[in-house]
Amino acid sequence: MSDEDFVKDFNLNVLEKIKSFGFKTGNALCLGVSGGADSVCLLTSIVSALAEQNKKQNLIQKINVVTVNHRIRKEEESLGDCEYVKNYCKTLSTKNVKVECRIINLKENEVSDLAEKRKRGTEDAARCLRYEVFKKFAEDIAEKEKTRKVFFALAHNQNDQLETLVMRFLQGAGNLSRAGIAEKRVDKNIIYIRPLIETSRADIERYLKISGIKWRTDSTNECNDYLRNRIRNLIVPVFDEVYPGWKSALINGRQKALYENDFIEKSIKGIKWNKCTDGVWIKTDVFYSLDVCLRQNLLYRAFDIVNTGERIPFSFVKKVIDRIPPQKINKNSIEVYVSKDRLFVKKIEKKATESGFFAIIEEPGFVEFDDGTLYVRNDKDCRGKAEIQFVTRSQEVYSINRISYPFCFRSRMISDRVAAKNGEKALSDVFSDFKVAVSDREKIPVIEELGKENKIRAVWGSILGYKNWIVLD
């Protein structure tokens, strides 16, 4: 196929795809555009296809673009991406397609603060805030254009889908999550659509190169601290080498999960959770009369309604679906219990006294904490020392080397003093220097070497997005 035909077919396929979601010329249309190849390609193809169609039919379509500055990279890079998108949008407007762009700047530390609250990492927090922006933006457009229906196009592609499916597998996901990224999702009057979800990244880049269009590259894409990046950069190349058919296998597995989810939806149609103070409830005999698979799906729906913002481990879910004991059971900020003939799922707040943690480490191994897992192994470059890694619940990895055995991994104490080059320094002063929020000070681990003189050698602030204080022999 010639380059010209490839571009024409690409534009036509994207337009037909968004029409298949129910979009009609004149409907309110929004796009989330980051400046990366995927979103720039989607914006370009939609504008090109609509311009060609509307020119023939003498129609006018307005496209509303929003780009979000998350402020988690250097400002010149993240704001630079937004400015690029805004300037590019200005070049796209035609007589038949009007493109308007709005930049939304998040507050400084807004992403890191939410990441700490949700315990799911930076990527998850950024995504959560981004969708809040999208929702508010779509609502504003609906009010401005006096319409009850807004189509919101997102640029997830086939590669994103495959990475998500691998990620969900590694996280032990159930049926709902194994279905991956939905092509269409309705949130009240907002219809989120993903026209490129079946399009490969290779075709997207080919489209842009043929069209002579540049795009922005996020510098964090190469950082393997994030689970998705590790899958993209480390796991996918191995799959491509040893099992060339893995992509088709995952896509087929996703379709099977969709069939199963369809059956589950029909099976529990009409069974709903009732709202109550701080949570929801359902009749106990109704819940336990269902197959365990349906109980599991209903329970996860309750977690979504209660909205704790935390990932609930399956070991906790299994206790409930296998028949809850008479007493209350809870995990993190979720509490489930039976009262009379009702099963309750409620959100609870942790007391301040429950936030501490403490473990003495004398040899290699691992220790589970609420916020993640501490892995300890012998430092290969330094005899008698340990290399330690902390892996958060969202699979972000942090490392420190040359820690002497035995040591204590714990939360702070009021009187703590830390090792310094010229003696010692109060831990509270370190926190002040690093501008650590009061709410975070109980959560930052300190590493205390235990010997003739117990000394705090490290304050592991990077786990919560702050600086580290490390003074080793």
Side-chain angles (χ1 to χ4, degrees):
M1 181 185 295
S2 69
D3 287 349
E4 184 179 355
D5 287 340
F6 174 82
V7 170
K8 285 182 178 179
D9 283 355
F10 194 104
N11 291 337
L12 181 61
N13 289 338
V14 168
L15 183 58
E16 290 303 313
K17 192 69 176 177
I18 67 171
K19 286 182 177 179
S20 74
F21 295 128
F23 173 81
K24 297 178 181 178
T25 303
N27 287 150
L29 179 61
C30 299
L31 271 78
V33 180
S34 67
D38 307 331
S39 58
V40 169
C41 174
L42 179 61
L43 173 62
T44 307
S45 62
I46 289 178
V47 171
S48 300
L50 285 174
E52 184 68 24
Q53 171 194 271
N54 294 356
K55 182 179 179 181
K56 294 177 182 178
Q57 300 176 11
N58 196 27
L59 299 171
I60 297 176
Q61 175 71 51
K62 181 183 175 187
I63 297 178
N64 306 283
V65 172
V66 60
T67 183
V68 183
N69 178 10
H70 298 87
R71 305 184 76 175
I72 54 178
R73 292 174 287 151
K74 292 181 179 179
E75 190 70 357
E76 58 265 30
E77 182 181 351
S78 58
L79 185 57
D81 290 350
C82 296
E83 294 291 351
Y84 167 80
V85 172
K86 189 168 186 176
N87 292 331
Y88 183 58
C89 286
K90 290 178 181 178
T91 70
L92 288 177
S93 285
T94 68
K95 181 180 178 181
N96 301 101
V97 180
K98 307 299 180 184
V99 184
E100 293 186 2
C101 177
R102 188 187 306 174
I103 296 174
I104 303 295
N105 294 293
L106 298 183
K107 296 176 183 176
E108 190 174 358
N109 297 324
E110 191 171 358
V111 173
S112 58
D113 288 347
L114 184 63
E116 168 56 27
K117 181 179 178 181
R118 288 170 63 86
K119 310 292 185 187
R120 292 187 181 182
T122 302
E123 278 187 305
D124 172 83
R127 178 186 179 279
C128 181
L129 291 170
R130 185 165 60 250
Y131 273 89
E132 285 182 7
V133 169
F134 290 167
K135 184 175 182 179
K136 178 64 168 59
F137 181 77
E139 289 171 347
D140 288 347
I141 295 301
E143 183 176 351
K144 187 177 179 180
E145 299 190 10
K146 301 189 184 309
T147 180
R148 292 184 176 181
K149 185 182 291 187
V150 177
F151 286 83
F152 203 116
L154 301 168
H156 297 91
N157 62 45
Q158 187 183 73
N159 293 55
D160 296 322
Q161 182 73 281
L162 291 165
E163 290 162 9
T164 297
L165 293 172
V166 173
M167 186 185 304
R168 300 278 171 81
F169 168 76
L170 294 175
Q171 292 170 337
N175 275 61
L176 289 172
S177 296
R178 283 197 294 110
I181 303 172
E183 286 187 320
K184 175 181 176 181
R185 179 174 68 84
V186 180
D187 181 2
K188 295 182 180 178
N189 298 325
I190 306 171
I191 304 164
Y192 293 99
I193 58 175
R194 296 179 171 90
L196 298 182
I197 199 66
E198 296 176 349
T199 305
S200 71
R201 172 75 182 208
D203 280 350
I204 287 170
E205 292 192 9
R206 181 185 175 189
Y207 177 92
L208 293 173
K209 288 174 181 176
I210 291 172
S211 305
I213 299 168
K214 296 181 179 180
W215 66 89
R216 304 278 290 190
T217 301
D218 187 337
S219 61
T220 63
N221 287 345
E222 301 304 317
C223 176
N224 290 330
D225 286 348
Y226 301 113
L227 176 57
R228 183 177 290 277
N229 287 358
R230 292 202 295 280
I231 290 171
R232 179 186 302 135
N233 300 331
L234 304 177
I235 296 178
V236 166
V238 175
F239 281 2
D240 287 339
E241 181 180 352
V242 302
Y243 185 46
W246 73 274
K247 294 179 181 179
S248 296
L250 254 65
I251 294 298
N252 290 337
R254 173 181 179 270
Q255 187 58 57
K256 294 172 187 176
L258 288 172
Y259 291 149
E260 292 165 6
N261 288 340
D262 251 3
F263 175 76
I264 290 170
E265 285 290 330
K266 292 174 183 176
S267 301
I268 58 177
K269 186 177 181 180
I271 302 176
K272 296 181 179 179
W273 290 92
N274 304 283
K275 289 191 176 181
C276 62
T277 305
D278 299 325
V280 294
W281 64 270
I282 193 172
K283 287 279 189 179
T284 312
D285 57 352
V286 171
F287 184 81
Y288 286 108
S289 68
L290 299 171
D291 180 86
V292 290
C293 176
L294 304 182
R295 294 180 210 169
Q296 172 187 293
N297 278 268
L298 271 175
L299 196 57
Y300 278 115
R301 292 184 184 201
F303 296 156
D304 287 339
I305 296 169
V306 173
N307 191 24
T308 66
E310 295 187 22
R311 183 172 288 113
I312 308 299
F314 183 68
S315 57
F316 173 79
V317 174
K318 191 173 185 301
K319 286 182 181 178
V320 179
I321 61 179
D322 282 350
R323 194 82 191 183
I324 188 170
Q327 68 273 22
K328 296 181 180 181
I329 59 174
N330 60 68
K331 176 64 179 178
N332 297 336
S333 59
I334 281 284
E335 184 176 66
V336 182
Y337 63 94
V338 170
S339 178
K340 295 183 179 178
D341 60 348
R342 295 180 179 183
L343 174 69
F344 288 86
V345 177
K346 289 194 172 188
K347 183 175 182 176
I348 56 175
E349 298 296 334
K350 259 188 179 178
K351 298 177 183 178
T353 54
E354 296 177 320
S355 63
F357 50 90
F358 182 95
I360 292 177
I361 310 297
E362 298 180 295
E363 59 186 10
F366 67 93
V367 182
E368 293 275 0
F369 296 94
D370 282 349
D371 295 335
T373 304
L374 180 73
Y375 293 93
V376 183
R377 61 187 176 191
N378 292 328
D379 191 327
K380 61 182 179 181
D381 298 323
C382 205
R383 201 170 191 179
K385 305 275 187 176
E387 175 187 345
I388 63 176
Q389 283 189 337
F390 190 82
V391 182
T392 67
R393 292 298 177 201
S394 59
Q395 300 300 302
E396 293 178 328
V397 181
Y398 301 89
S399 301
I400 296 179
N401 296 346
R402 298 195 300 119
I403 300 295
S404 296
Y405 293 111
F407 63 90
C408 183
F409 180 90
R410 62 172 175 82
S411 52
R412 69 154 183 170
M413 297 178 184
I414 298 298
S415 59
D416 275 340
R417 299 185 66 80
V418 301
K421 290 182 179 179
N422 298 316
E424 291 184 337
K425 184 172 182 174
L427 177 58
S428 57
D429 290 341
V430 173
F431 283 155
S432 295
D433 291 345
F434 290 173
K435 294 181 171 56
V436 177
V438 174
S439 59
D440 287 340
R441 296 187 178 190
E442 301 295 332
K443 304 167 189 174
I444 291 180
V446 299
I447 299 166
E448 181 181 12
E449 290 185 350
L450 305 176
K452 292 182 179 179
E453 295 182 5
N454 294 359
K455 285 190 177 182
I456 295 177
R457 293 289 186 180
V459 181
W460 214 344
S462 60
I463 291 175
L464 292 184
Y466 299 101
K467 294 180 181 179
N468 288 331
W469 178 282
I470 302 175
V471 178
L472 303 175
D473 289 333

